[in-house]
Amino acid sequence: MDRLVNTVRPYAWGSTTAIPELLGVEPSGEPQAELWMGAHPGAPSRTERGPLNALIDADPVGELGERSVAAFGPRLPFLLKVLAAGAPLSLQAHPDLAQARAGHAAEEAAGIPVDAPHRTYKDANHKPELICALTPFDGLCGFRAPAETADLIAGLGVDSLKPYVDLLHAHPEEAALREVMTALLTADPEEMAHTVTEAAAAADRLGGDYAPYATLAHHFPNDPGVIAAMLLNRVTLQPGEALYLGAGVPHAYLSGLGVEIMANSDNVLRCGLTPKHIDVPELLRVVRFEPADPAVLRPEASPSGEEVYDTPIDEFRLSRLVRPEGAAPTDLTTPTPQILLAVAGRPKAGEVTLAAGESVFVPAGEKTELTGTGTVFRATVVA
C-alpha cells in the first residue's frame, strides 16, 4: 500500500484552523478549504512510487482491479476530501450522468475551452456526493415545503418580497418553486440588490431562524442567492451523521469540518452566493424542484464493526471504523481500490501507522489488515 501525500486547496471560504488542528500542525493564517485524496488530475495524491494518477494510468487493472475498470473505466472513480468550511460555499447543484454527457459534448462541439469561466461541464461525469460531519456541520439541502418558505420570507416584512410569497402559495408546488427560482435569478440586478439589502437588515434585526441569512448577506451582499437560500432546508449534522446529495438537489455548506466523498467530477451548476458564472437556463433544466425533508444518514453497523453509509450509487462506498483499545484486527482486503483516512488515534493499516489526517491508498486485492486504536474512514468502490 502507498502512504499518500495530499494537497490542501486554499479556497477563500476555507477555515484557517480546522485542517491544521486535524493534522496537528500550526495554522499558516491562510484559508485551508479541502484536503484532496485521490487521483484527480487537478491535485493528485503523491506516493513514493509517483503521483497516484500516473500509477493508475500505467497499470489500471493492477491498481484498480478488474471489477472497477469494467464498471467505471481505467481511473479511480471517486475523490475523497476533508472539507473545512469557515465561510459559506456557493449554492449549487450537480447534473445526472446523461445531462453531464450531453452538456459536455455540446460545449466541446462549441469549442468552449475547459478552463473558460463560462464553461459549465468540465467533464462528462455526474457528481453525486456524501458529506459526513467530523464537527457540528451546518448546511442547506433540498427544497423545504413552499408554504413554510412563504411564511419565513413573509416574516421579514419586505414589500418587494411579497410577490415571491404569493407565488410560493401556488400549486403545484414544483411549479411554484421553479417560478420563484427563475424570478430571483433573472430579476433586475439593481432592484434585487435593494431587496437583498432590506432583507438582510430585517434578518439581522430578527435573529433566530433568520440569523443564517444575515450571515449569507454579509458574505455575499446584493446576491439573489441570499433569498434563494431561504427556499432550502437548513440542516445541522452532528459528528458521525451524513448527507447524501444526488443529482439536481440544490445545496450549500455553511460551516464545519467533514469527510466528503464524490464521483470524480468537477461539474457544478451554481445558483447563487458566488461571483462566478451562473448558467440560468441549464441550472433550471438540471435542478429538481421537489420539496422534501433532507434525509440525514447514520451509519449502519456490519458484523465486523464497520459502519457503512448507505448510498444509491456505485462509484463510492464510505464507511467508518471506530477501534477501541484491544480491538481485534479487521480484514479489509477487497478486489476494489480503497483509501483509508485516519481522523483520530494512531491506527495501523498493514505496517503503516496513521496519525489524524493521514491516509493510504490500497491497490485492489492487496492483503489489508487494520489494527491499533483510533477512527478510520474507508473509501472504496461498489463493483
Side-chain angles (χ1 to χ4, degrees):
M1 71 183 64
D2 299 279
R3 183 185 291 276
L4 298 179
V5 178
N6 303 307
T7 298
V8 175
R9 308 308 295 262
Y11 306 135
W13 49 262
S15 167
T16 58
T17 58
I19 288 178
E21 285 178 5
L22 177 68
L23 299 176
V25 300
E26 286 296 317
S28 66
E30 300 297 319
Q32 299 189 26
E34 295 180 346
L35 178 70
W36 284 26
M37 290 155 281
H40 192 285
S45 298
R46 303 176 300 282
T47 77
E48 289 186 352
R49 297 188 289 149
L52 186 55
N53 58 337
L55 299 183
I56 292 170
D57 288 344
D59 183 12
V61 172
E63 300 293 339
L64 304 177
E66 292 182 356
R67 293 185 188 180
S68 183
V69 172
F72 308 112
R75 65 174 190 164
L76 188 67
F78 63 81
L79 176 64
L80 184 66
K81 302 178 181 180
V82 175
L83 182 146
L89 282 66
S90 63
L91 193 61
Q92 59 189 259
H94 307 299
D96 64 25
L97 189 55
Q99 291 165 338
R101 288 174 174 170
H104 182 260
E107 290 186 330
E108 287 288 287
I112 302 173
V114 72
D115 58 351
H118 62 290
R119 174 90 183 223
T120 298
Y121 293 98
K122 311 293 187 182
D123 52 68
N125 200 17
H126 62 166
K127 193 174 179 281
E129 59 191 43
L130 177 78
I131 183 76
C132 178
L134 293 177
T135 67
F137 194 97
D138 283 339
L140 305 168
C141 176
F143 291 107
R144 77 171 98 212
E148 294 177 15
T149 299
D151 291 343
L152 185 70
I153 294 177
L156 291 169
V158 176
D159 287 344
S160 55
L161 288 175
K162 289 180 179 178
Y164 302 110
V165 173
D166 293 338
L167 285 172
L168 288 166
H169 284 300
H171 289 280
E173 291 184 327
E174 291 83 355
L177 289 168
R178 178 182 290 274
E179 193 166 349
V180 170
M181 181 70 83
T182 303
L184 288 171
L185 296 179
T186 58
D188 178 80
E190 288 190 12
E191 291 180 7
M192 180 52 63
H194 180 70
T195 295
V196 172
T197 298
E198 278 195 81
D204 191 45
R205 182 180 67 254
L206 293 166
D209 291 341
Y210 293 95
Y213 309 106
T215 300
L216 291 177
H218 172 74
H219 287 284
F220 303 99
N222 305 329
D223 192 314
V226 174
I227 309 301
M230 300 182 75
L231 300 174
L232 306 189
N233 296 292
R234 174 100 185 277
V235 186
T236 298
L237 301 177
Q238 297 305 315
E241 295 180 334
L243 277 177
Y244 171 73
L245 300 160
V249 177
H251 60 278
Y253 300 147
L254 304 181
S255 65
L257 181 70
V259 173
E260 185 181 37
I261 189 168
M262 63 194 64
N264 208 346
S265 172
D266 270 343
N267 288 325
V268 176
L269 290 105
R270 294 176 175 84
C271 318
L273 308 181
T274 179
K276 295 182 179 180
H277 174 64
I278 297 177
D279 184 342
V280 175
E282 188 66 12
L283 174 72
L284 296 174
R285 191 174 75 86
V286 164
V287 168
R288 297 179 179 176
F289 292 94
E290 302 167 357
D293 291 332
V296 175
L297 294 177
R298 295 171 181 85
E300 299 177 6
S302 68
S304 68
E306 184 177 10
E307 300 172 331
V308 179
Y309 293 91
D310 186 32
T311 59
I313 52 92
D314 294 337
E315 281 90 339
F316 61 76
R317 174 182 179 271
L318 187 71
S319 59
R320 184 179 67 169
L321 297 105
V322 181
R323 296 186 52 80
E325 190 74 38
T330 304
D331 183 9
L332 299 181
T333 308
T334 179
T336 53
Q338 54 186 320
I339 291 176
L340 305 177
L341 164 68
V343 296
R346 293 186 64 83
K348 289 183 69 174
E351 299 301 316
V352 181
T353 300
L354 298 173
E358 294 183 340
S359 56
V360 292
F361 172 76
V362 185
E366 182 168 318
K367 175 68 177 176
T368 308
E369 192 172 70
L370 190 65
T371 58
T373 304
T375 300
V376 172
F377 280 87
R378 182 191 191 198
T380 187
V381 177
V382 180

